[in-house]
Every structure is written in C-alpha cells, then in structure tokens.
C-alpha cells in the first residue's frame, strides 16, 4: 500500500501544472501577518475606550448632554474634545497591553464608531447625527493607530469592530446615540455611508503595511456589531455589498460578520457566498444573564448546559463550526463574560467556585469549536465586578491566570525528533483512514490524505514555533478550515485537480490536531 501511494503520488506530480507563487504570496501576506490573522485568538474587548458605555466608565459622562448615555451625548456636552482625548489617552495604556500579554491574551477587539475615523474623511459626518462634530473626534484616528503600534510591540493582534454605524444598527446607546430608533436599515444613505466608512477604514489599515515599520497585527474588521435588521435579507444584501467593496481594496482582508444570534442561518449565508480564499468569519455573542429564563436558571445548570456536549447549545456550535470550516470560514465568540444574574446564584454554597466553573465551561467550549473568543470587557472604572471585568476576574482567581499552551521544555532545534513523531502519527491515522473508507468501495487517492496530514502538522508547528514576543503561551492555528482550503489549492496547483481533494483537507485537519497533541505531550 505504501509503495502504491508513493508511486501514484509521483505519477500525479509528473503531470502537474507549471508552479507559481503560493496562495499566501498571492494574497500578499507576510509570515507575521499570516500568524496574527489565523492563530487561535485568545482575546478581550477594550470596551468603553472609543465607543463609551456609562456602566463601564462613568467619568467621561460627567458633563454629557441629553440623557448622558452615548458618545453623541458626550460629544455635545461640556468640554467634549478635552474630555474624550483625556479618556482616550488614559483608559488603555501600554501597561494594560503588557498586563494582557503576560496572561496569554494575543488579540484585542476594539469597538469604534464611524465618527472615530472622521480625521481621514470629514465628509463622513455630513448629514449624520454627528454632523459638525469633527473637531471633537478628529484626534481619535491617530490614537487608534497608536493602539495598533502598541499592541504589536507586545505581540497582540487587533480586530476593529464597527460598533456604531450611521443611523444606528441597534437600539442601544453603544451604537452611537441614546435614541432607541434604528434608522440604519431603512435608509439607503446610511447603509451606503457605512460601506464608505468601512472602505476608508480598510484602505488606511492596508496602507499601514507600507509604513516604515509595517503593522502586521491587524487581524480584520467586523462589519457591524449586534445588528437588529428589519429583515435578514436586507442585512444579507448589505453584507454582500460590504464584503465585495472591502475585497476590491484587498482581496485577502479578513472580514467578521455578526450572526444576529441566528448562528445556523448566518453560517448558511457564509457557506453560500461566492468562493473565496479570504476569511469571512461568523461572530456570535454569548451571554446568560439577561432574559427571564437566564435569571430563573441556576449557575450550575448554566454550566451544565455548556459542558454537556449533547445539549442544544454545544450541538449548535459543533454543527456550525463544522459547516464553516468546510466552507473555509470559522466561528468566534466576539463577546462573552462571566456575568450571572443574582437570581442564578441564589442558594449557592460557593459563589466563587460557581463563577469559576461557569467561566471554565465557556473556555472549554470555545477551545473545542471556535477560532477565538473575546471577553467583555477588559476592565471597569469601578473595580470589583468579576462577571464583567476581565482584570477583576483574573485577579480574584475565577479566570485562569494564563490562557493558552505554555511550553515548559525547549522545542527549538528538535526538528528531527518532531519529524520522526510526525511520521509515526501519520502512519497511524492513515491506516485508520484507509481502513474506514475500504468499507465504502469507490475510487480514492489516500496519498492526498497523507499529503494533507503532513501539511497540517507542519503548519501547526510553524505556529507553535513562531516568535512569541515575550508572551508565555505559544500561538496555535485557529482558522483550520480557511488554511486547509488554501493549502488544498496549493496542492491542486502542484498535483492536479481531483474529486478527492476532500481527502487532503481531511488529512490536513487531522495533522493539525495530531501536532497539537504532540506539542502538548512533549513540551507543555
């Protein structure tokens, strides 16, 4: 069997097409950019830094106008420019990024409003709620760039999230204004302006790579945060247009879309987009503290509903992650927390342990099915909230001190040993693969599975061994489906097309998983 596979592989390679640049090169990704974009994102939200939320940081609202709950209220209030710039300069500093990096956090999600990029194009504010307020927000962009620079110095990636769109995409004050009226979806002007703002943003983010010191740590842009569309077809159509406009600027730029808490339906939407090797990722938000059902459910039952792999929610995550991986996409949880309603903690003997168990259940679920997760939020102005403040949760011991795989042995310079273990692991799973499919007689090319396994193993170790920039944990490949699709296209280019490319992709994913198990066993 082994000699047959080798011979068949040699024959197929003998008829391969002329080789060209790899897909990573064609998409113009540097090795560093590739790492930041596709590793498993262990993240937090830097909430209330640019898009303000009063329950997170009270101080900027002291002189706010109106009801005093939104960015617009602050911008129309007393000494707005001074208040905002002082807040931007002090709420998150270099020491915060350093603290996060030391705990294995490798990516941050930064919520912004369209008005925060008005320095790039002041006309973005014309005919909007923020018209005439350019002078208030013109200092935001330079500080966003500084945030990217600081994050990169600590090995941290940045996901920009359009939290506030023109006209509001949801009724909450964190979408820009305190008005409960959603006018984004019924206004062609607002929807087109949002795409224009995204084009301006992405154009500038792409241009940062041409900087004297290139910025490789921008992992992507989220098109809208928690949209509440008048109809999902309207949002689908807007998503398609926005994706196309961004990909016209940079064909490989990663894009994240909210699932509106309808994860299956939006996974189907992603799966039916035109074929692309660029990442288009689903963002789900997970909270269990707001509804009547949440309040009446005990903390222990909330935890059990996440740890039981046969329960509806883990089953949904399993189903969706598999569907998205097959289409070259992935799933992240862009917001989650340790918050539980007091009703869920009534009668609890050990509240500390219940909170820790609830957080661990979520982390374990994300580890199985997600390419990343982002705790909401990094910190609150008033300390002590272990449910919503990541910093408080860590410092009070209900969140792990460090996340990710932390090597305790040196794995540099051991390539021969690693390769030998790869061959052993490959032979085992190849035998299982061949044996399984022998039960279903057809034409297979198991050598493609073998090639995929080797590629998956090598890619996984490339992530493990990349420069950690002082972080305690190694990087891991997170978006396996996306990279499997890309490597499959390289494989086709070198070996020819076939109806059995699925074997390569299947082997790739198994190779990644086997490499992770190997690394954990030998070095962690």
């Amino acid at each position: 069997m082994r000699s047959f596979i080798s011979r068949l592989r040699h024959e197929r390679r003998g008829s391969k097409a002329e080789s060209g640049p790899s897909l990573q090169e064609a998409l113009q990704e540097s090795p560093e950019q590739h790492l930041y974009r596709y590793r498993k994102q262990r993240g937090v939200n830097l909430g209330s830094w640019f898009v303000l939320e009063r329950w997170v940081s009270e101080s900027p609202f002291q002189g706010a106008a109106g009801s005093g709950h939104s960015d617009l209220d602050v911008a129309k209030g007393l000494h707005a420019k001074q208040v905002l710039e002082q807040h931007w300069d002090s709420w998150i500093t270099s020491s915060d990024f350093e603290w996060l990096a030391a705990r294995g956090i490798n990516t941050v999600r930064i919520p912004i409003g369209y008005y925060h990029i008005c320095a790039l194009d002041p006309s973005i504010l014309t005919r909007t709620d923020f018209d005439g307020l350019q002078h208030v927000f013109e200092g935001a962009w330079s500080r966003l760039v500084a945030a990217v620079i600081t994050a990169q110095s600590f090995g941290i990636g940045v996901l920009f999230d359009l939290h506030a769109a023109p006209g509001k995409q949801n009724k909450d004050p964190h979408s820009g204004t305190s008005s409960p009226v959603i006018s984004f979806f019924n206004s062609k002007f607002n929807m087109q302006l949002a795409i224009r703002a995204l084009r301006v943003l992405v154009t500038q983010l792409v241009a940062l790579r041409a900087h004297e010191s290139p910025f490789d740590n921008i992992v992507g842009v989220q098109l809208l945060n928690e949209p509440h569309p008048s109809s999902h077809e309207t949002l689908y159509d807007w998503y398609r247009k926005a994706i196309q406009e961004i990909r016209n600027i940079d064909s490989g730029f990663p894009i994240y879309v909210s699932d509106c808490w309808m994860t299956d339906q939006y996974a189907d939407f992603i799966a039916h987009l035109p074929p692309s090797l660029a990442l288009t990722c689903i963002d789900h938000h997970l909270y269990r503290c707001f509804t009547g059902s949440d309040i009446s459910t005990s903390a222990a039952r909330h935890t059990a509903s996440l740890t039981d792999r046969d329960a509806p929610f883990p089953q949904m995550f399993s189903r969706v992650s598999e569907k998205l991986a097959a289409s070259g996409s992935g799933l992240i949880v862009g917001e989650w927390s340790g918050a539980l309603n007091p009703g869920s903690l009534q009668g609890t003997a050990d509240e500390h342990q219940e909170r820790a168990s609830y957080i661990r259940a979520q982390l374990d679920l994300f580890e199985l099915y997600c390419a990343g997760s982002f705790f909401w939020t990094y910190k609150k102005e008033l300390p002590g909230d272990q449910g919503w403040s990541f910093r408080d949760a860590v410092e009070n011991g209900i969140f792990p001190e460090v996340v990710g795989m932390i090597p305790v042995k040196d794995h540099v310079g051991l390539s021969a040993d690693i390769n030998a273990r790869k061959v052993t692991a490959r032979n085992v799973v190849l035998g299982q693969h061949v044996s399984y499919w022998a039960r279903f007689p057809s034409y297979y090319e198991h050598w493609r599975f073998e090639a995929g396994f080797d590629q998956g193993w090598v890619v996984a170790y490339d992530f493990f061994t990349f420069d950690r920039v002082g972080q305690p944990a190694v990087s891991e490949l997170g978006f396996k489906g996306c990279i499997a699709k890309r490597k499959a296209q390289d494989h086709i280019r070198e070996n020819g097309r076939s109806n059995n490319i699925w074997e390569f992709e299947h082997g790739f994913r198994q190779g990644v998983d086997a490499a992770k198990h190997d690394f954990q066993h030998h070095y962690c």
Side-chain angles (χ1 to χ4, degrees), residues 447-513:
W447 64 271
R448 294 188 187 271
F449 176 92
E450 182 182 13
F453 183 96
D454 286 353
Q455 280 282 300
W457 180 288
V458 169
V459 168
Y461 259 95
D462 283 345
F463 276 76
F464 298 151
T465 57
F466 208 90
D467 183 7
R468 286 188 274 158
V469 198
Q471 290 209 349
V474 297
S475 292
E476 303 169 48
L477 175 60
F479 291 96
K480 291 186 286 188
C482 178
I483 303 305
K485 289 292 184 186
R486 292 189 181 186
K487 293 298 183 181
Q489 289 302 308
D490 284 339
H491 175 78
I492 290 169
R493 182 171 53 84
E494 295 177 358
N495 298 281
R497 294 191 175 277
S498 167
N499 290 328
N500 292 314
I501 298 302
W502 64 270
E503 291 195 75
F504 177 92
E505 295 182 16
H506 187 53
F508 181 91
R509 290 193 288 270
Q510 290 213 22
V512 171
D513 293 340

Coordinates of all heavy atoms in Angstrom, one line a residue, residues 447-513:
W447 N -3.2 9.0 -0.9 CA -1.9 9.7 -0.8 C -2.2 11.2 -0.6 O -1.4 11.9 0.0 CB -1.1 9.5 -2.0 CG -1.7 10.0 -3.3 CD1 -2.5 9.3 -4.1 CD2 -1.5 11.3 -3.9 NE1 -2.9 10.1 -5.2 CE2 -2.3 11.3 -5.1 CE3 -0.8 12.4 -3.5 CZ2 -2.3 12.4 -5.9 CZ3 -0.9 13.5 -4.3 CH2 -1.6 13.5 -5.5
R448 N -3.4 11.6 -1.0 CA -3.7 13.0 -0.7 C -4.0 13.3 0.7 O -3.7 14.3 1.3 CB -4.9 13.5 -1.6 CG -4.7 13.5 -3.1 CD -5.9 14.1 -3.8 NE -5.7 13.9 -5.3 CZ -5.1 14.8 -6.1 NH1 -4.6 15.9 -5.5 NH2 -5.1 14.6 -7.4
F449 N -4.6 12.3 1.4 CA -4.8 12.4 2.9 C -3.5 12.5 3.5 O -3.2 13.3 4.4 CB -5.6 11.2 3.4 CG -5.7 11.1 4.9 CD1 -6.9 11.7 5.5 CD2 -4.8 10.6 5.7 CE1 -7.0 11.6 6.8 CE2 -4.9 10.5 7.0 CZ -6.0 11.0 7.6
E450 N -2.5 11.6 3.1 CA -1.2 11.6 3.7 C -0.5 13.0 3.5 O 0.1 13.5 4.4 CB -0.4 10.5 3.0 CG 1.1 10.4 3.5 CD 1.8 9.3 2.8 OE1 1.3 8.9 1.7 OE2 2.9 9.0 3.2
A451 N -0.6 13.6 2.3 CA 0.0 14.9 2.0 C -0.7 15.9 2.8 O 0.0 16.9 3.4 CB -0.2 15.2 0.5
G452 N -2.0 15.9 3.0 CA -2.7 16.8 3.8 C -2.3 16.8 5.3 O -2.1 17.8 6.0
F453 N -2.1 15.6 5.8 CA -1.7 15.4 7.2 C -0.3 16.0 7.4 O -0.1 16.8 8.4 CB -1.6 13.9 7.5 CG -1.2 13.6 9.0 CD1 -2.2 13.4 9.9 CD2 0.1 13.6 9.3 CE1 -1.8 13.1 11.2 CE2 0.5 13.3 10.7 CZ -0.5 13.1 11.6
D454 N 0.6 15.7 6.5 CA 2.0 16.3 6.6 C 1.9 17.9 6.6 O 2.6 18.5 7.4 CB 2.9 15.9 5.4 CG 3.3 14.4 5.6 OD1 3.0 13.8 6.7 OD2 3.9 13.9 4.7
Q455 N 1.1 18.4 5.7 CA 0.9 19.9 5.6 C 0.3 20.4 6.9 O 0.8 21.4 7.5 CB 0.0 20.3 4.5 CG 0.7 20.3 3.1 CD 1.6 21.5 3.0 OE1 1.1 22.6 3.0 NE2 2.9 21.3 2.8
G456 N -0.7 19.8 7.5 CA -1.3 20.2 8.7 C -0.3 20.2 9.9 O -0.3 21.1 10.7
W457 N 0.4 19.1 10.0 CA 1.4 19.0 11.0 C 2.4 20.2 10.9 O 2.7 20.8 11.9 CB 2.1 17.7 11.0 CG 3.1 17.4 12.0 CD1 4.4 17.9 12.1 CD2 3.0 16.5 13.1 NE1 5.1 17.5 13.2 CE2 4.2 16.6 13.8 CE3 2.0 15.7 13.6 CZ2 4.5 15.8 15.0 CZ3 2.3 14.9 14.7 CH2 3.5 15.0 15.4
V458 N 3.0 20.4 9.7 CA 4.0 21.4 9.5 C 3.4 22.8 9.8 O 4.1 23.6 10.5 CB 4.5 21.3 8.1 CG1 5.4 22.6 7.8 CG2 5.4 20.1 7.9
V459 N 2.2 23.1 9.4 CA 1.6 24.4 9.6 C 1.4 24.6 11.1 O 1.7 25.7 11.6 CB 0.3 24.5 8.8 CG1 -0.5 25.8 9.3 CG2 0.6 24.6 7.3
A460 N 0.9 23.6 11.8 CA 0.7 23.7 13.2 C 2.0 24.0 14.0 O 2.0 24.9 14.8 CB 0.1 22.4 13.8
Y461 N 3.0 23.3 13.6 CA 4.3 23.6 14.3 C 4.9 24.9 13.9 O 5.6 25.6 14.7 CB 5.3 22.4 14.0 CG 5.4 21.5 15.2 CD1 4.6 20.3 15.2 CD2 6.2 21.8 16.3 CE1 4.7 19.5 16.3 CE2 6.3 20.9 17.4 CZ 5.5 19.8 17.4 OH 5.5 19.0 18.5
D462 N 4.6 25.4 12.7 CA 5.0 26.8 12.3 C 4.4 27.8 13.3 O 5.1 28.7 13.7 CB 4.6 27.1 10.9 CG 5.4 26.4 9.8 OD1 6.5 26.0 10.2 OD2 5.0 26.4 8.7
F463 N 3.2 27.6 13.6 CA 2.5 28.5 14.6 C 3.1 28.3 16.0 O 3.4 29.3 16.7 CB 1.0 28.2 14.6 CG 0.2 29.0 13.6 CD1 0.3 28.5 12.3 CD2 -0.5 30.1 13.8 CE1 -0.5 29.1 11.3 CE2 -1.2 30.8 12.9 CZ -1.2 30.3 11.6
F464 N 3.4 27.1 16.4 CA 3.9 26.8 17.8 C 5.3 27.5 17.9 O 5.6 28.0 19.0 CB 4.1 25.3 18.0 CG 2.8 24.5 18.0 CD1 2.9 23.2 17.6 CD2 1.6 25.1 18.3 CE1 1.7 22.4 17.6 CE2 0.4 24.3 18.3 CZ 0.5 23.0 17.9
T465 N 6.1 27.5 16.9 CA 7.5 27.9 17.0 C 7.7 29.3 16.6 O 8.8 29.8 16.5 CB 8.4 27.0 16.2 OG1 7.9 27.0 14.8 CG2 8.3 25.5 16.7
F466 N 6.6 30.0 16.2 CA 6.8 31.4 15.8 C 7.2 32.3 17.0 O 6.9 32.0 18.2 CB 5.5 32.0 15.2 CG 5.8 33.1 14.2 CD1 5.9 32.8 12.9 CD2 5.8 34.4 14.6 CE1 6.2 33.8 11.9 CE2 6.1 35.4 13.7 CZ 6.2 35.1 12.3
D467 N 7.9 33.4 16.8 CA 8.4 34.2 17.8 C 7.2 34.7 18.7 O 6.2 35.2 18.2 CB 9.1 35.5 17.2 CG 9.7 36.4 18.3 OD1 9.7 36.0 19.5 OD2 10.1 37.5 17.9
R468 N 7.3 34.4 20.0 CA 6.3 34.7 20.9 C 6.3 36.2 21.5 O 5.4 36.6 22.2 CB 6.3 33.8 22.1 CG 5.9 32.4 21.8 CD 5.8 31.5 23.1 NE 7.0 30.9 23.5 CZ 7.3 30.5 24.7 NH1 6.5 30.7 25.6 NH2 8.5 30.0 24.9
V469 N 7.3 36.9 21.1 CA 7.4 38.3 21.5 C 7.2 38.5 23.0 O 6.5 39.3 23.5 CB 6.4 39.2 20.8 CG1 6.7 40.7 20.8 CG2 6.2 38.8 19.3
G470 N 7.8 37.6 23.8 CA 7.7 37.6 25.2 C 6.4 37.1 25.8 O 6.3 37.1 27.1
Q471 N 5.5 36.6 25.0 CA 4.2 36.0 25.6 C 4.5 34.7 26.2 O 5.4 33.9 25.7 CB 3.2 36.0 24.5 CG 2.6 37.3 24.1 CD 1.2 37.2 23.6 OE1 0.6 36.1 23.4 NE2 0.5 38.4 23.4
P472 N 3.8 34.3 27.2 CA 4.1 33.0 27.9 C 3.5 31.8 27.0 O 4.1 30.7 27.1 CB 3.3 33.1 29.2 CG 2.2 34.1 28.9 CD 2.8 35.1 28.0
A473 N 2.5 32.0 26.3 CA 1.9 30.9 25.5 C 2.3 31.0 24.1 O 2.6 32.0 23.5 CB 0.3 31.0 25.6
V474 N 2.3 29.8 23.4 CA 2.6 29.7 22.0 C 1.4 30.1 21.2 O 0.3 30.0 21.7 CB 3.1 28.3 21.6 CG1 4.4 28.0 22.3 CG2 2.1 27.3 21.9
S475 N 1.6 30.4 19.9 CA 0.4 30.6 19.0 C 0.0 29.2 18.5 O 0.8 28.3 18.4 CB 0.8 31.5 17.9 OG 1.1 32.8 18.3
E476 N -1.3 29.1 18.2 CA -1.9 27.9 17.7 C -2.7 28.3 16.4 O -3.3 29.4 16.4 CB -2.8 27.2 18.6 CG -2.2 26.9 20.0 CD -3.3 26.4 21.0 OE1 -4.1 25.6 20.6 OE2 -3.3 26.9 22.1
L477 N -2.7 27.4 15.4 CA -3.6 27.7 14.3 C -5.1 27.6 14.8 O -5.5 26.6 15.4 CB -3.4 26.6 13.2 CG -4.3 26.6 12.0 CD1 -4.2 28.0 11.3 CD2 -4.0 25.5 11.0
G478 N -5.8 28.7 14.5 CA -7.2 28.7 14.9 C -8.2 28.5 13.8 O -9.1 27.7 13.9
F479 N -7.9 29.1 12.6 CA -8.8 29.0 11.5 C -8.4 27.8 10.6 O -7.9 28.0 9.5 CB -8.9 30.3 10.7 CG -9.5 31.4 11.5 CD1 -8.8 32.3 12.2 CD2 -10.9 31.5 11.5 CE1 -9.4 33.3 12.9 CE2 -11.5 32.5 12.2 CZ -10.8 33.4 12.9
K480 N -8.6 26.6 11.1 CA -8.1 25.4 10.3 C -8.8 25.3 9.0 O -8.2 24.9 8.0 CB -8.4 24.2 11.2 CG -7.5 24.1 12.4 CD -7.6 22.8 13.1 CE -8.9 22.7 13.9 NZ -9.0 21.5 14.8
G481 N -10.1 25.6 8.9 CA -10.8 25.4 7.7 C -10.3 26.3 6.6 O -10.2 25.9 5.4
C482 N -10.0 27.6 6.9 CA -9.6 28.6 6.0 C -8.2 28.2 5.4 O -8.0 28.2 4.2 CB -9.5 29.9 6.7 SG -8.8 31.2 5.6
I483 N -7.3 27.8 6.3 CA -5.9 27.4 5.9 C -6.0 26.1 5.1 O -5.2 25.9 4.2 CB -5.0 27.4 7.0 CG1 -5.0 28.7 7.7 CG2 -3.5 27.0 6.6 CD1 -4.7 29.9 6.8
A484 N -6.8 25.2 5.5 CA -7.0 23.9 4.8 C -7.4 24.2 3.3 O -6.9 23.5 2.4 CB -8.0 23.0 5.5
K485 N -8.3 25.1 3.1 CA -8.7 25.4 1.8 C -7.6 26.0 1.0 O -7.4 25.7 -0.2 CB -9.9 26.4 1.8 CG -11.2 25.9 2.3 CD -11.8 24.9 1.3 CE -13.2 24.4 1.7 NZ -13.7 23.3 0.8
R486 N -6.8 26.9 1.6 CA -5.7 27.5 0.9 C -4.6 26.4 0.5 O -4.1 26.4 -0.6 CB -5.1 28.6 1.7 CG -6.0 29.8 1.9 CD -5.2 30.9 2.6 NE -6.1 32.1 2.8 CZ -5.6 33.2 3.3 NH1 -4.3 33.3 3.6 NH2 -6.4 34.2 3.5
K487 N -4.3 25.6 1.5 CA -3.3 24.6 1.2 C -3.8 23.6 0.2 O -3.0 23.0 -0.6 CB -2.9 23.9 2.5 CG -2.2 24.7 3.5 CD -0.9 25.2 3.0 CE -0.1 26.1 4.0 NZ 1.2 26.6 3.5
A488 N -5.1 23.3 0.2 CA -5.6 22.4 -0.8 C -5.5 23.0 -2.2 O -5.2 22.3 -3.2 CB -7.1 22.2 -0.6
Q489 N -5.6 24.3 -2.4 CA -5.4 25.0 -3.7 C -3.9 24.9 -4.1 O -3.7 24.6 -5.3 CB -5.9 26.4 -3.6 CG -7.4 26.6 -3.5 CD -8.1 26.0 -4.7 OE1 -7.8 26.2 -5.8 NE2 -9.1 25.1 -4.3
D490 N -3.0 25.0 -3.2 CA -1.6 24.8 -3.5 C -1.4 23.4 -3.9 O -0.6 23.1 -4.9 CB -0.7 25.1 -2.3 CG -0.6 26.6 -2.0 OD1 -0.8 27.4 -3.0 OD2 -0.3 27.0 -0.9
H491 N -2.0 22.5 -3.2 CA -1.9 21.0 -3.5 C -2.4 20.7 -4.9 O -1.8 20.0 -5.7 CB -2.7 20.2 -2.5 CG -2.8 18.8 -2.8 ND1 -1.7 17.9 -2.5 CD2 -3.8 18.0 -3.3 CE1 -2.1 16.7 -2.9 NE2 -3.3 16.7 -3.3
I492 N -3.6 21.4 -5.3 CA -4.1 21.2 -6.6 C -3.2 21.7 -7.7 O -2.9 21.1 -8.7 CB -5.5 21.9 -6.7 CG1 -6.5 21.1 -5.9 CG2 -6.0 22.0 -8.2 CD1 -7.8 21.8 -5.7
R493 N -2.6 22.9 -7.4 CA -1.7 23.5 -8.4 C -0.5 22.6 -8.6 O 0.0 22.6 -9.7 CB -1.3 24.9 -7.8 CG -0.3 25.7 -8.7 CD -0.2 27.1 -8.2 NE 0.3 27.1 -6.8 CZ 1.5 26.9 -6.4 NH1 2.5 26.8 -7.3 NH2 1.8 27.0 -5.1
E494 N 0.0 21.9 -7.6 CA 1.2 21.1 -7.7 C 0.9 19.7 -8.2 O 1.7 19.0 -8.8 CB 1.9 21.0 -6.4 CG 2.4 22.4 -5.9 CD 3.1 22.3 -4.5 OE1 3.0 21.1 -3.9 OE2 3.6 23.3 -4.1
N495 N -0.4 19.2 -7.9 CA -0.6 17.8 -8.2 C -1.8 17.5 -9.1 O -2.1 16.3 -9.4 CB -0.9 17.0 -6.8 CG 0.3 17.1 -5.9 OD1 1.2 16.3 -6.1 ND2 0.3 18.0 -5.0
G496 N -2.5 18.5 -9.5 CA -3.7 18.4 -10.4 C -5.0 18.3 -9.6 O -5.0 18.0 -8.4
R497 N -6.1 18.5 -10.3 CA -7.4 18.5 -9.7 C -7.9 17.1 -9.6 O -7.4 16.2 -10.2 CB -8.4 19.3 -10.6 CG -8.1 20.8 -10.6 CD -9.2 21.6 -11.3 NE -8.9 23.0 -11.2 CZ -9.1 23.8 -10.1 NH1 -9.7 23.2 -9.1 NH2 -8.8 25.0 -10.1
S498 N -8.9 16.9 -8.7 CA -9.4 15.6 -8.4 C -10.7 15.8 -7.6 O -10.9 16.8 -7.0 CB -8.4 14.8 -7.6 OG -9.0 13.6 -7.0
N499 N -11.5 14.7 -7.7 CA -12.7 14.7 -6.8 C -12.4 14.3 -5.4 O -13.3 14.3 -4.6 CB -13.8 13.7 -7.4 CG -14.4 14.3 -8.7 OD1 -14.5 15.5 -8.9 ND2 -14.7 13.3 -9.6
N500 N -11.2 14.0 -5.1 CA -10.8 13.6 -3.8 C -10.0 14.6 -3.0 O -9.2 14.2 -2.1 CB -10.0 12.2 -3.9 CG -10.9 11.1 -4.4 OD1 -12.0 10.9 -3.9 ND2 -10.4 10.4 -5.4
I501 N -10.1 15.8 -3.4 CA -9.4 16.9 -2.6 C -9.9 16.9 -1.2 O -9.1 17.3 -0.3 CB -9.6 18.3 -3.3 CG1 -9.0 18.3 -4.7 CG2 -8.9 19.4 -2.4 CD1 -7.5 17.9 -4.7
W502 N -11.1 16.4 -0.9 CA -11.6 16.3 0.4 C -10.7 15.5 1.3 O -10.5 15.7 2.5 CB -13.0 15.7 0.5 CG -13.1 14.3 0.0 CD1 -13.3 13.9 -1.3 CD2 -12.9 13.1 0.8 NE1 -13.3 12.5 -1.4 CE2 -13.1 12.0 -0.1 CE3 -12.7 12.9 2.1 CZ2 -13.0 10.7 0.3 CZ3 -12.6 11.6 2.6 CH2 -12.7 10.5 1.7
E503 N -10.0 14.5 0.7 CA -9.0 13.7 1.5 C -7.9 14.5 2.0 O -7.4 14.4 3.1 CB -8.6 12.5 0.7 CG -9.6 11.5 0.4 CD -9.1 10.2 -0.1 OE1 -8.5 9.4 0.7 OE2 -9.1 9.9 -1.3
F504 N -7.4 15.4 1.1 CA -6.3 16.3 1.5 C -6.8 17.2 2.7 O -6.1 17.3 3.7 CB -5.9 17.2 0.4 CG -4.8 18.2 0.7 CD1 -3.4 17.9 0.6 CD2 -5.1 19.4 1.3 CE1 -2.5 18.8 1.0 CE2 -4.2 20.4 1.6 CZ -2.8 20.0 1.5
E505 N -7.9 17.8 2.6 CA -8.4 18.7 3.6 C -8.7 17.9 4.9 O -8.4 18.4 6.0 CB -9.7 19.4 3.2 CG -9.5 20.3 2.0 CD -10.7 21.1 1.6 OE1 -11.7 21.1 2.3 OE2 -10.7 21.6 0.5
H506 N -9.2 16.7 4.8 CA -9.4 15.9 6.0 C -8.1 15.6 6.7 O -8.0 15.6 7.9 CB -10.2 14.6 5.6 CG -10.6 13.8 6.7 ND1 -11.4 14.2 7.8 CD2 -10.4 12.4 7.0 CE1 -11.6 13.2 8.6 NE2 -11.0 12.1 8.2
G507 N -7.1 15.2 5.8 CA -5.8 14.9 6.4 C -5.2 16.1 7.0 O -4.5 16.0 8.1
F508 N -5.4 17.3 6.4 CA -4.8 18.5 7.0 C -5.3 18.7 8.4 O -4.5 19.0 9.3 CB -5.1 19.7 6.1 CG -4.6 21.0 6.5 CD1 -3.4 21.4 6.1 CD2 -5.3 21.8 7.4 CE1 -2.8 22.6 6.5 CE2 -4.8 23.0 7.8 CZ -3.5 23.4 7.4
R509 N -6.6 18.7 8.5 CA -7.2 18.9 9.9 C -6.7 17.9 10.9 O -6.4 18.3 12.1 CB -8.7 19.0 9.8 CG -9.3 20.2 9.1 CD -10.8 20.4 9.3 NE -11.5 19.4 8.5 CZ -12.0 19.5 7.3 NH1 -11.7 20.6 6.6 NH2 -12.7 18.6 6.7
Q510 N -6.6 16.6 10.5 CA -6.1 15.6 11.4 C -4.6 15.9 11.7 O -4.2 15.6 12.9 CB -6.3 14.2 10.8 CG -7.7 13.8 10.8 CD -7.9 12.3 11.0 OE1 -7.0 11.6 11.6 NE2 -9.0 11.8 10.5
G511 N -3.9 16.4 10.8 CA -2.5 16.7 11.0 C -2.3 17.8 12.0 O -1.4 17.8 12.9
V512 N -3.1 18.8 11.9 CA -3.1 19.9 12.9 C -3.4 19.4 14.3 O -2.7 19.8 15.2 CB -4.1 21.0 12.5 CG1 -4.2 22.1 13.6 CG2 -3.7 21.7 11.1
D513 N -4.5 18.6 14.4 CA -4.9 18.1 15.7 C -3.8 17.2 16.3 O -3.5 17.3 17.5 CB -6.2 17.4 15.6 CG -7.4 18.3 15.3 OD1 -7.3 19.5 15.5 OD2 -8.4 17.8 14.8

